[in-house]
Amino acid sequence: MAAIIFAVGLPSVASLLALLTSSMLGEAVREEDGLRGPSMALGVALLLAVLFAPVKVFLSLIAFSIAIVAISLAIRVIRARLAARSKPLPFLLRKSSQAQNASISLLLALATFLAMSGLVFNDSFWLPKERLSVLQKPLTGYVLTGDGDFTHVILDHSRQTLVLKTSEVENRTLCGRSEDDRSLPVRMMWPVATSYPQCE
């Protein structure tokens, strides 16, 4: 059970690690510090992301990492040119002090919270969305139970609970999956995704 929970949580863990380590890598580049540790951590996080995370999440992590490192390299180049001309460095280009490190840590924590809040505060249902035909009237929702005499359904938009007679439910169809949100390796192994009709 622990192994299953860990495997299911890998995309979230990889996303969090990539956010943290890409910022660490950018700080290491900007401070001309050792790059080995942050680079290895970022590589492991991105490897987990490409294996398990949906393509959109993986591409956003790549873009975030590239942006952080590119900005850090630009700061390093500008700092070197200004130093060669014996010009004073602006505040943002100086070596970070303890106060700067505190503010960077605060901003990093805020960015991580905002990035993960989409998962934490997501109110999407854990059940598959279904399209039901009840006495020739379409309904879209999530079926809680439907094996007995009554079918309990939570409507998609209003989140109201309906109790229907199972005999009145003429048809049930899974719906709502309009995009292929699988990870890259899964797409390569199974090129054709399961297609579902639109719910509306």
Side-chain angles (χ1 to χ4, degrees), residues 16 55 65 182:
L16 181 59
V55 174
S65 303
R182 301 173 300 163

Side-chain angles (χ1 to χ4, degrees), residues 17-29:
L17 284 176
L19 283 171
L20 293 172
T21 54
S22 57
S23 296
M24 286 168 48
L25 181 60
E27 184 68 11
V29 171

Side-chain angles (χ1 to χ4, degrees), residues 20 98-114:
L20 293 172
Q98 203 65 30
Q100 279 181 290
N101 288 336
S103 61
I104 289 172
S105 301
L106 181 62
L107 289 175
L108 178 59
L110 179 62
T112 304
F113 170 76
L114 291 176

